[in-house]
Amino acid sequence: MARAGRSATRLEHLFAAALAAAYLVILLATAWEVGLTRDEGYYFRAADLYLGWFGTLWEGLRGGHLGALRDDVIARHWSYNWEHPALLKTLFGFSWKLFHETLGWTSQSTAYRLPAMLLAAGMIYLVGVFAVEAYGQGVALFSMLALATTPRLFHDAHLACFDVGIATLQLAVVYAYWRGLTSVRWSLLTGIVFGLALATKHNAFFVPAILGAHALLRGGERSEGRGPPGPPAPLVFLAMAVLGPLIFFLHWPYLWHQPLARLGFYLRFHLHHEHYPVEYFGQVLTQPPFPPSFVFVMTWVTVPLATVVLMTVAVFRGLRYELAGAQGSLLTSDSERQDGQRTRLLLLLAGLVPMLVMTLPGVPIFGGVKHWFTAMPTLAILAGAEFDRLARWALGPRRLALRWGRAAYGGLALLTLLPGLLGIRLVHPYGIAFYNELVGSLRGAAELGMQRNFWGYASRGNLAYLNEHVEPAGRVFFPPTNLDSYRAYLRDGLLRGDIQYSATLNAADWATIACEGPLADDEYRVWNDWETGRPVTGVYLDEVPMNLVYRLPRERR
Amino acid sequence: MGRALMPASGMLSWRRWRSTDGALFVLLGLALVYSYWTYLWLPLTRPSPQDYAQATEYVSSQFQPGDLIDANPSWAARAREYLGDRPLVAWRRLDGEDLTPYSRLWLFSLFGAEARKPVRDGLAGRTDLLEERRFGGIDVRLYRVRDHRPVVYDFRERLERAAVWIEAGTRRHECRIWEGGRWRCGQEAWNCVGREILEVGDEPRLVIWPHPAEWGTLAVEFREVPLGNALAIGAGFTPAGVRKGGLPVNLSLEVEGQPFWNRFYEPRSGFFRDLVGTGPLGGQPRTVTFRVRTSDDRLRHFVFAADVRD
């Protein structure tokens, strides 16, 4: 089915861009109600600091000196949050400067978040272009919509974090590599995009493994002359090996004066990352290794059911064909057996390697499915190809040639993808709580003892109540919403200016408590120390509590 | 002619649907039917604010001292907003809990949770159904608890009147500072004897936290305890203590300085209960001393609860 060498037409590019733009508009329109996660607060502060350095640099350039390049000046701005590369945080800062401070178009938080949303929209666009070139328009449309209606990804696409960004960048590298199989220009471009991926998040370190495995497994065909003509395979890896580290080094001033030592800090941080406890079937996982099934089970219960069924069927079908091909017995039913670019193999590797990496025994306990979002774009394309196959099988080629046949194809696609939209409608703006129909949605997940909350973002839903009820200069205990997120709420006017952040329960008059298994002690502490088990309000999704507000009883004030 | 062809065409079609692709298409169809059913069913079974208002008003109006409310299923505890200042639990496993301190049990259920096996098993043979009311999506049932044994003295409630010390040989370190519901036994935050609510055996429980010290025996002494017919003792480790593993903790009980009861607790998940008869000691108020020992105090997040029963 794959159609090697076919470039998307201008109209197809326009269509993919239009859909991506629509996605961006929806993200922007819904961002204000999505609570700030712990990490975002840190990244906002980092963005400010990094932007400050550019300000110093600009002032220096105007004054004819380069003091901003001194290590002490660099360290003052860039040593904060050195555990992640700086590309996205820098973009967050510039976005804030442009869209909030200069133009005044958005709130502060939305301005910081905008680059991540743009990257999410870019992912939709890239999936469309990749899929249309590899499989055709039907697959492209389905894949884009499948990705856009994945509720957890939709939620994280709002956040000023790196997970959706790196998913986009990984897809961009994979796409550029795929195009580079027949083009020198794209081979060189792969190196540049890989550098940007390295500058986004450390997931990029695993991309060479995906591409290397593809090149090795495809090597036989090239030597037999079956593949399309193109540059020698080493070119793309040479480009990645040279341009990748170079861009990574150049983008991050923190590395400039002490590259090895500071790179060492960065790498060591991730090799010895702290664990984030996570609830999984009633257990709180605190120490690695994860159960080997964790990543796959979590994917199966957090992606809309029909989509994950299609992804799974596509993966098993693809593996069957690839294994048969590797054993030299190409199956006649394999519609992609003539594909010299081995597109399906590349998509399988890009979809499975990020998940397999997360199942390695030494991987820290993280919990969030966002850590393998990098798998989702290519799995969505595979799901699209599988849908296309089944729809064509059901409708038959003759009917598809008719207008009503095409309408039936479209209707079937919408019918398949609509549950994802219903899922988003159910959980938004608390998308991390999404569980699919297989476990009975969020309610079923609560019953099974699955993690439904993370990072303190759900306190956002209680801010209006606090604004209305907290006495002047009242103190609120906000675990685990951090001080940076609290300040961002103040700056955006979402929280009344006089409401104070209390670091401890003892010093507070109010508490917003995240309903999260590993943090359950926060609520028990309220019950115990305040001698009340009665929240005054709460955020509930389908009766599942997400965040509760307690008030210090009158007799204890 | 056309009629004659139809059966053959039907057979062809049937064979087509029995293929792998046919099976996969049916699988996708079933997944979709299930998905739509789920999204239709969720709002239909969700209780309304009016259901809550009516159900909780009813419970409030009929509530008596000695009653307990169990919100069910355990995670659907919005009832706390209405009834949270009354004794209210949200047990994960009702069948593993002790009902006897309470005279009556209100089961406040959503989503048909009243019919689940652990709930039915937990009530069967231990309770009698007194009444049942339905308020939209909420099921309220009132049960009389059989074998009710009222609590006549709760050690946790009277912790601030206890004497607390750590003894090692002839040395005796008194814990004299009562602060924030805890007797301080040292500089470290954990080195105390406190009134706490902590998760033990998968439930938040009202317990005494007596963190053991490996250099001595921790003693908590209560005077003038009216011994009834039995002492109910429950103990266990918090999840952090269970995860740490290690050596057991010993909890022993003396009445008027005489050994009365003793048990070792391994760091495993659970809240382990004992009901110790005190009939022969009844009558006069007595001095009761709990002693906690371990030879390894690292992460010994051991807790206990105890009360005197009629």
Side-chain angles (χ1 to χ4, degrees):
Chain A
M1 196 197 295
R3 295 184 282 176
R6 174 209 186 288
S7 292
T9 64
R10 182 174 294 180
L11 196 62
E12 286 166 342
H13 276 291
L14 270 176
F15 184 79
L19 209 61
Y23 188 63
L24 177 65
V25 168
I26 293 169
L27 291 176
L28 279 167
T30 52
W32 68 277
E33 51 195 339
V34 175
L36 300 173
T37 61
R38 283 181 74 80
D39 284 6
E40 285 187 286
Y42 303 134
Y43 302 153
F44 292 173
R45 198 200 301 186
D48 292 345
L49 284 165
Y50 301 172
L51 188 67
W53 180 81
F54 282 101
T56 307
L57 179 67
W58 176 242
E59 289 302 317
L61 289 173
R62 287 176 66 186
H65 63 85
L66 291 171
L69 302 183
R70 287 202 327 263
D71 190 40
D72 61 319
V73 180
I74 286 175
R76 200 159 55 237
H77 290 88
W78 295 90
S79 61
Y80 181 73
N81 198 248
W82 50 261
E83 52 268 38
H84 291 292
L87 177 62
L88 290 198
K89 287 173 282 183
T90 306
L91 292 177
F92 299 161
F94 278 111
S95 174
W96 173 85
K97 181 81 179 165
L98 178 64
F99 293 107
H100 177 76
E101 197 181 66
T102 308
L103 299 172
W105 286 357
T106 69
S107 69
Q108 306 215 27
S109 303
T110 302
Y112 285 120
R113 286 170 161 181
L114 185 57
M117 292 189 230
L118 271 167
L119 279 169
M123 177 164 58
I124 301 293
Y125 168 77
L126 265 180
V127 160
V129 171
F130 200 166
V132 82
E133 292 181 353
Y135 294 111
Q137 292 174 351
V139 176
L141 183 61
F142 187 93
S143 308
M144 284 191 284
L145 292 176
L147 203 60
T149 55
T150 299
R152 292 220 181 191
L153 198 123
F154 176 76
H155 176 87
D156 279 35
H158 291 90
L159 309 180
C161 292
F162 317 132
D163 305 287
V164 174
I166 187 60
T168 305
L169 265 300
Q170 176 178 307
L171 176 67
V173 180
V174 170
Y175 174 71
Y177 164 84
W178 182 71
R179 295 292 305 266
L181 296 174
T182 55
S183 154
V184 172
R185 192 164 60 94
W186 278 98
S187 289
L188 297 175
L189 195 61
T190 307
I192 295 172
V193 183
F194 177 59
L196 296 175
L198 285 174
T200 299
K201 204 180 174 190
H202 60 281
N203 304 54
F205 291 131
F206 302 106
V207 175
I210 295 167
L211 307 186
H214 181 263
L216 277 175
L217 291 167
R218 186 175 165 265
E221 287 182 21
R222 282 181 63 87
S223 60
E224 291 164 19
R226 278 203 286 139
L235 179 64
V236 69
F237 292 102
L238 189 66
M240 288 168 69
V242 174
L243 295 173
L246 187 66
I247 290 170
F248 178 71
F249 175 77
L250 288 176
H251 102 282
W252 202 356
Y254 183 61
L255 298 179
W256 292 351
H257 289 274
Q258 300 178 48
L260 291 180
R262 289 175 178 170
L263 184 65
F265 296 158
Y266 167 55
L267 295 177
R268 270 197 298 278
F269 175 83
H270 293 286
L271 289 171
H272 305 285
H273 199 286
E274 65 177 304
H275 307 299
Y276 300 145
V278 58
E279 284 174 286
Y280 184 63
F281 289 104
Q283 303 280 314
V284 176
L285 307 179
T286 56
Q287 294 289 325
F290 276 119
S293 61
F294 180 85
V295 171
F296 302 100
V297 170
M298 285 302 291
T299 304
W300 250 83
V301 299
T302 59
V303 173
L305 183 59
T307 306
V308 81
V309 163
L310 288 169
M311 284 176 174
T312 308
V313 171
V315 165
F316 278 107
R317 190 195 293 276
L319 287 175
R320 178 170 161 252
Y321 286 142
E322 292 300 334
L323 285 172
Q327 290 163 355
S329 54
L330 287 170
L331 301 176
T332 51
S333 58
D334 181 1
S335 58
E336 297 185 47
R337 63 186 181 280
Q338 301 300 330
D339 176 18
Q341 285 171 291
R342 302 286 298 276
T343 307
R344 182 182 54 212
L345 175 66
L346 182 62
L347 295 174
L348 283 170
L349 287 165
L352 293 178
V353 168
M355 298 172 89
L356 291 171
V357 165
M358 289 301 294
T359 65
L360 295 175
V363 169
I365 294 284
F366 289 121
V369 299
K370 67 181 190 128
H371 294 287
W372 60 94
F373 272 167
T374 41
M376 286 297 130
T378 48
L379 289 180
I381 296 174
L382 288 168
E386 190 60 36
F387 170 80
D388 184 76
R389 178 192 177 87
L390 292 178
R392 284 175 187 282
W393 174 87
L395 296 169
R398 272 184 304 170
R399 289 184 192 125
L400 272 172
L402 303 171
R403 183 172 292 178
W404 75 263
R406 287 196 294 274
Y409 181 100
L412 202 56
L414 288 178
L415 196 70
T416 307
L417 295 170
L418 185 61
L421 212 55
L422 294 175
I424 290 174
R425 183 167 163 264
L426 179 71
V427 298
H428 183 76
Y430 308 100
I432 300 174
F434 176 79
Y435 282 86
N436 73 10
E437 309 87 325
L438 191 68
V439 290
S441 184
L442 175 59
R443 235 185 251 179
E447 191 67 38
L448 290 169
M450 306 295 275
Q451 184 103 5
R452 310 176 296 277
N453 219 338
F454 226 45
W455 299 342
Y457 77 114
S459 59
R460 166 71 182 86
N462 282 320
L463 298 185
Y465 181 90
L466 294 173
N467 288 336
E468 196 176 329
H469 292 88
V470 172
E471 58 283 0
R475 292 157 300 178
V476 182
F477 181 49
F478 273 104
T481 305
N482 63 9
L483 191 57
D484 294 303
S485 299
Y486 157 81
R487 286 178 179 146
Y489 286 139
L490 289 184
R491 286 201 304 261
D492 277 345
L494 292 170
L495 191 62
R496 232 177 52 212
D498 62 298
I499 291 177
Q500 296 181 53
Y501 184 90
S502 175
T504 64
L505 180 68
N506 290 345
D509 313 302
W510 297 77
T512 72
I513 298 295
C515 303
E516 189 176 332
L519 304 178
D521 279 346
D522 288 331
E523 187 169 21
Y524 304 155
R525 171 87 28 228
V526 172
W527 296 353
N528 190 64
D529 291 5
W530 288 7
E531 294 181 352
T532 179
R534 183 175 194 169
V536 290
T537 193
V539 171
Y540 299 86
L541 281 180
D542 198 25
E543 292 312 301
V544 178
M546 298 292 292
N547 194 278
L548 302 175
V549 176
Y550 285 88
R551 184 176 195 184
L552 184 66
R554 192 181 303 274
E555 61 274 15
R556 301 184 65 87
R557 280 176 225 158
Chain B
M1 184 83 174
R3 267 189 205 168
L5 279 175
M6 275 181 71
S9 166
M11 277 173 64
L12 189 69
S13 173
W14 171 238
R15 258 191 233 115
R16 189 166 170 261
W17 280 92
R18 284 178 64 192
S19 65
T20 306
D21 283 342
L24 291 174
F25 192 82
V26 169
L27 175 70
L28 180 64
L30 289 174
L32 285 172
V33 168
Y34 185 61
S35 294
Y36 284 104
W37 164 248
T38 300
Y39 285 112
L40 187 70
W41 174 77
L42 290 175
L44 291 177
T45 52
R46 199 177 298 149
S48 67
Q50 195 184 4
D51 297 342
Y52 272 105
Q54 289 177 350
T56 55
E57 192 182 316
Y58 174 71
V59 174
S60 293
S61 66
Q62 305 292 315
F63 195 88
Q64 295 174 6
D67 285 3
L68 176 75
I69 304 160
D70 180 21
N72 179 36
S74 61
W75 47 267
R78 195 200 281 261
R80 283 191 190 286
E81 279 188 23
Y82 301 84
L83 302 166
D85 285 339
R86 301 178 189 280
L88 189 152
V89 293
W91 282 326
R92 290 180 182 121
R93 300 277 318 191
L94 190 148
D95 52 349
E97 299 302 326
D98 180 17
L99 301 178
T100 59
Y102 310 100
S103 55
R104 303 192 306 172
L105 176 75
W106 292 89
L107 194 65
F108 192 97
S109 303
L110 276 60
F111 313 128
E114 68 279 2
R116 290 179 191 170
K117 192 168 183 298
V119 176
R120 282 188 281 115
D121 290 352
L123 297 170
R126 300 202 294 167
T127 58
D128 299 306
L129 182 64
L130 296 177
E131 56 183 87
E132 180 181 356
R133 296 281 292 268
R134 184 110 204 147
F135 302 90
I138 299 173
D139 182 277
V140 176
R141 296 180 186 196
L142 176 63
Y143 295 88
R144 184 178 65 80
V145 177
R146 294 181 196 170
D147 304 324
H148 169 49
R149 304 186 76 156
V151 174
V152 296
Y153 185 97
D154 185 335
F155 291 95
R156 180 183 180 275
E157 275 180 15
R158 290 166 175 80
L159 184 62
E160 63 200 273
R161 292 186 214 158
V164 178
W165 68 89
I166 301 174
E167 59 197 18
T170 55
R171 275 172 56 208
R172 179 164 152 146
H173 170 75
E174 301 283 349
C175 308
R176 289 206 174 90
I177 301 171
W178 174 260
E179 191 178 71
R182 296 163 189 94
W183 288 106
R184 298 251 157 249
C185 295
Q187 295 296 319
E188 310 87 353
W190 58 264
N191 197 356
C192 66
V193 175
R195 197 155 50 203
E196 301 284 353
I197 297 176
L198 291 168
E199 184 172 319
V200 190
D202 287 337
E203 294 291 346
R205 298 182 193 279
L206 280 67
V207 291
I208 295 172
W209 161 288
H211 200 297
E214 61 192 11
W215 58 271
T217 298
L218 178 66
V220 186
E221 186 171 280
F222 297 82
R223 294 177 181 274
E224 301 285 313
V225 178
L227 289 183
N229 288 317
L231 268 169
I233 303 164
F237 288 82
T238 67
V242 171
R243 280 196 294 273
K244 168 67 175 58
L247 297 170
V249 172
N250 174 238
L251 175 67
S252 64
L253 187 60
E254 293 170 7
V255 177
E256 297 295 348
Q258 298 300 310
F260 182 70
W261 175 87
N262 177 28
R263 180 169 174 174
F264 283 88
Y265 294 88
E266 297 288 341
R268 57 193 169 90
S269 182
F271 189 64
F272 304 98
R273 292 191 181 82
D274 291 282
L275 191 66
V276 189
T278 54
L281 300 169
Q284 295 296 314
R286 309 276 184 167
T287 298
V288 175
T289 311
F290 294 90
R291 290 183 191 277
V292 182
R293 299 181 192 86
T294 187
S295 49
D296 171 15
D297 62 13
R298 278 170 299 169
L299 269 168
R300 296 300 71 196
H301 292 186
F302 172 79
V303 298
F304 73 92
D307 53 57
V308 177
R309 300 288 180 85
D310 201 5

